[in-house]
Structures are given as structure tokens and as C-alpha cells.
Amino acid sequence: MRRNAGLFVVISLLSGFGSSAMSLVAGIWILDLTGSTGLAALAGLCVYAPVLAGPWLGGLLDRAPRRPLVTAVNLMLAAALLALLAVRGPGQTWLIFVVSCAYGVSYVLIDAGETALLPSALSPTELGDVNGWRSSAQEGMKLVAPLAGAGLYAWRGGHAVVVLSAAMPVLVAILYAAVRLHRTPPDQPTQRRGGLRTGLSVLFGQRATGVPVVLAAVSIAMSGFTTAAIYAIVISELRLPTTFLGVLASAQGAGSIIGGLIVGRFIARRGPVAVGIAGTVLFAVGCLARCVPWVPATVIGAVVAGVGLPWTLVAAVTAVQTHTPSALLGRVSATANTAMFGPLVAAIPLGSAAVHLGARPPLLAAVAICLTAVAATLYRPRRVPGRGRPDLPTPADDKNTGVDVIS
């Protein structure tokens, strides 16, 4: 593993640990201070809501040097976290919400910034592998960090978790300084204005990026849509205690770690489009397996879905990095994040409402939606005599995307 690849994996480990620990503790802290589960849940909304502003926030990365900007965002995040040391009682609960919003804004800028920096630090053949390793590192931290954060909170209180979490972005900023940006991808002439419009046109104006992003968006949205249904399957159908949800979360996390470690090889062989399709199908199979009234099938379904979901995400990120002009990578990456994660805002409450129809209908609906998206991806309009086929990729494009043209 090369120096830059190792640095980016360590960066993912540190940032994943700090964010996962603090995101859980913020809700617990608010619950202890106010006694309100509703207010505690709002902390998570504050973290994810800024993703909707991704296209505009990402434009900052195209107007300023990316490494200094991402480094500054990490340092400002550390300073914002330390402001939570002022929380002493219910009267300062608002401060936790403010810092949660700051966390959300930093997520958008840092995620898009890393996506934009990677092509300048790695060769194109390394992008898929490193994106997969980073995904595995982040998923691994989701298994470890919440337990560590909750344990530290129970032992020493919220302020101890704040100090630990604030140290992570400082270390990340130091590691960014050690990254060698030795490669600058060739740029095409690009328009530097028009934030949202430019990001959307570049992202969805070509099949190589639009298809993987749409597949990732569908799969991620369905993961949120089926959350309540999985709860109902465990509690109402299988008659298991709620603690079994932790087993399923660990099983899915294990699948995500495994999937992240191997996805780079498949992207190198078949391309992001083919891997995005495979990941969406695997996620659908995982949802279908959870409909079977048998505990081992539910666990296996969690593992399979855990493999498929990061495949769709890594394929989309790699496609954006590979096929986007460097000058627009910031806004296009942030627009892609909004497209992939924004639908969760609607999917989660819709899934909570749909579960009133039963535990299995939302899961079956998710399977149908995922497979419909895959079928739409594989469809090619036949050539009309006397007309060109501007909508079809060239043979060279097919090699890059890993999907054969159906004629």
C-alpha cells in the first residue's frame, strides 16, 4: 500500500471514530438533559440536514485550494466541538444542536473535499481499492466507536467524549498536511459558475456517473425506508428481543467491511456501472431474505445487504472521481452526496408509515424498486433506422463502465 493510500485510510479511521462516537453521545446527552426522546432524535436530523445544501457548499471547494480548505474545516470542527465544554445543564442544550449542525456542514465539505483530493493523490487504478478500504474503515468504526463513546460517557460524562472527538479532526488535519498531491488530472474547459445547475449537468449528463449515483441513491433510500420494517420483523414476526437488532447491525457492518475490502477489484475489472448494478441487486436480495420467517435467513440477509450497500456507494464515488473534470470535482462530489443521501430525509418517515401495512410489504416494495432501477439501467433503446444513437455509449465507454450494450 502506498503512502497516500495509507494516509487516507487512517484519515477515514480517525474521522469515522470521532463522528460515530459523538453522534450517538449527542442524542444520549440531550435525552439525559431534557428527558425528551423527540429532542434527542432531532440531533441526528441536524447532522444530516446540511447534505441538502451540498451543491452550494461543494462550490466552495472549487473556488479555493482544496487541501487548505479541508484542513481548515477540520480545525474549525474541533473548535466547535470544544464549545460543548460549556454545556452544564438543560439551559445549554441548544448548544448541542448548533454543534450538530456544524458537524453536518463539515461532513458535506470534508466528504466532498476528500473525494476531490483523492484523484490528485492516487492513480486512477488505485481509486476503487482505496475508496473500498475507506468504506471498510468507516464501517468498522461504526461498530467500535459508538460502544467506546457510550462507555466513556457513562464513565466520565459528555465532556470527556467532547475532548476525545475534538482530537480526531486535529489529527486528521495533520495527516492532510502529510499527503503528497503529486498528480493533477488533466482538465477539460469548464464553466466555473452556476453551482447547482453545473453540478447536476456534469453528474447526470453522462451515463458513466449518472447511473452509479442513481443506483446508490435508490439503494441508500431503500435502506432508510426499510428500517422500521426490520424492527417489526424482529419484534413482531420473529418474537425476538430488541437487543437482537444489535446482532443484525453487527452482521450488516461485517458485510460492509468485507464488501469494502473487495469492491475495488471488481470496479477495476468491470467498471463502476456494473458494480453499482451488482450492489443494488445484492441489497434487494438481502431485503428479500429478511422476509423469510427464519432467524438465520434474517442474519444472512443483513450480511448480504451489508455487502451490497457499500458497493453502490463506492461505485458512485469512484465514477465521479474518474469522469469529472478536476476543476468541478468539489461541487459535483457534493451534488452526488446530496443526490445519494438526500432522499433519506423522505424515505425514513415514509417507511415508518408504510410499516403499518405490515412488516413485509415495505421490504417487498424495496426489492421491487431496486430491481426496477436495475432493469431501467440495463435497458437500451433500439436504433431507429436513419437516426443516430447519441444516447448510447461508444465501445470505449462500454469498456470503462463494464456494461455491454444491448442492441
Side-chain angles (χ1 to χ4, degrees):
M1 184 185 299
R2 295 184 177 181
R3 169 194 173 92
N4 283 347
L7 286 172
F8 275 111
V9 172
V10 175
I11 285 171
S12 295
L13 285 169
L14 293 175
S15 59
F17 181 88
S19 60
S20 297
M22 195 62 220
S23 61
L24 174 65
V25 168
I28 296 174
W29 204 352
I30 292 171
L31 183 61
D32 285 346
L33 290 173
T34 66
S36 171
T37 56
L39 288 176
L42 284 177
L45 181 61
C46 289
V47 172
Y48 288 106
V51 75
L52 298 176
W56 294 274
L57 292 172
L60 296 174
L61 293 163
D62 294 330
R63 300 188 189 99
R66 287 166 183 161
R67 176 160 55 180
L69 180 60
V70 175
T71 300
V73 170
N74 274 281
L75 294 177
M76 287 189 287
L77 174 60
L81 284 168
L82 291 176
L84 293 178
L85 295 176
V87 175
R88 301 292 176 183
Q92 292 83 42
T93 303
W94 63 271
L95 196 54
I96 302 178
F97 289 110
V98 171
V99 173
S100 295
C101 288
Y103 235 130
V105 173
S106 72
Y107 282 162
V108 175
L109 290 172
I110 291 171
D111 285 350
E114 286 186 1
T115 301
L117 282 173
L118 276 165
S120 298
L122 304 169
S123 67
T125 57
E126 294 176 306
L127 287 175
D129 280 328
V130 175
N131 284 328
W133 296 335
R134 291 171 62 230
S135 174
S136 293
Q138 291 165 355
E139 291 299 325
M141 288 302 98
K142 289 179 183 178
L143 297 178
V144 175
L147 293 175
L152 183 59
Y153 178 85
W155 178 39
R156 303 295 296 176
H159 293 160
V161 182
V162 166
V163 173
L164 177 63
S165 297
M168 297 299 107
V170 174
L171 294 175
V172 167
I174 294 172
L175 292 177
Y176 275 129
V179 173
R180 296 171 180 169
L181 301 180
H182 55 81
R183 181 179 177 275
T184 302
D187 285 341
Q188 302 172 3
T190 54
Q191 181 181 358
R192 299 189 65 85
R193 294 184 180 181
L196 176 60
R197 185 174 180 179
T198 301
L200 290 173
S201 63
V202 173
L203 186 61
F204 296 108
Q206 52 184 338
R207 173 181 170 80
T209 54
V211 168
V213 168
V214 169
L215 290 173
V218 170
S219 300
I220 293 170
M222 290 304 97
S223 72
F225 180 77
T226 56
T227 298
I230 293 169
Y231 290 171
I233 286 287
V234 170
I235 297 170
S236 303
E237 301 292 331
L238 299 178
R239 307 288 183 181
L240 295 172
T242 55
T243 51
F244 187 74
L245 292 168
V247 175
L248 292 183
S250 297
Q252 183 165 334
S256 296
I257 294 172
I258 295 170
L261 291 175
I262 63 177
V263 66
R265 302 176 190 175
F266 291 105
I267 289 177
R269 293 176 183 174
R270 299 296 299 165
V273 171
V275 172
I277 290 171
T280 305
V281 171
L282 284 174
F283 180 76
V285 170
C287 290
L288 192 61
R290 293 174 181 181
C291 294
V292 179
W294 188 41
V295 173
T298 304
V299 175
I300 292 171
V303 175
V304 173
V307 173
L309 202 57
W311 277 25
T312 64
L313 179 59
V314 172
V317 170
T318 304
V320 169
Q321 292 168 333
T322 305
H323 297 284
T324 302
S326 178
L328 294 176
L329 255 178
R331 74 189 70 185
V332 174
S333 298
T335 302
N337 284 341
T338 299
M340 291 186 290
F341 293 100
L344 277 173
V345 176
I348 293 174
L350 284 175
S352 297
V355 80
H356 292 293
L357 300 174
R360 291 185 178 85
L363 288 166
L364 295 174
V367 172
I369 291 171
C370 288
L371 295 182
T372 299
V374 168
T377 297
L378 295 175
Y379 171 75
R380 297 286 195 285
R382 292 182 178 273
R383 182 177 181 178
V384 178
R387 295 184 183 180
R389 301 195 300 176
D391 55 325
L392 294 183
T394 64
D397 291 334
D398 295 336
K399 183 178 180 181
N400 291 334
T401 58
V403 176
D404 297 329
V405 172
I406 300 174
S407 58

